[in-house]
Amino acid sequence: MFDWREHDPRKHIRKLRYVADGFKDSWETSSGFRLHLMADMVAFGLGGIFAVSFTCWLGLVIVFILKTAAEPFNSAIEELVNELYERNHSLQAKRIKDFAALGVFATVIGSVIIWAMIFVPEVYEIVS
């Protein structure tokens, strides 16, 4: 039988403190996280200035979500590897961290491609 007490919305709302703590820690410790957020804020500002289409907004939001998720995952993996591999000189530890960094890099490249697809035509229209 389904137990509604397990899905009490108040219980889930209280868990948002972990989200806030994660955001605060990411902001304070990860320059990459701050850089990605600032770049996305610029992209959102340009989207407003150029009054881009719904589809363009969708692209901007998707890459924002991907990067905002990838950077903390990368940091979490690095922290875990540091904890598991004391000296961090293991080839396995290096490979794990490299794979996580590649995931973040892929989201950055994807966002640059999306931004170029959206904003280069807009700027071209202004200068031509």
Side-chain angles (χ1 to χ4, degrees), residues 33-44:
F33 184 77
R34 290 189 304 271
L35 178 64
H36 296 314
L37 283 180
M38 296 299 184
D40 286 316
M41 294 305 109
V42 169
F44 289 153

Side-chain angles (χ1 to χ4, degrees), residues 26 33 36-37 40 62-77 103-104 107:
S26 292
F33 184 77
H36 296 314
L37 283 180
D40 286 316
I62 288 171
V63 296
F64 164 75
I65 291 167
L66 289 173
K67 287 190 304 173
T68 304
E71 191 65 47
F73 280 133
N74 180 47
S75 296
I77 289 167
V104 172
T107 66

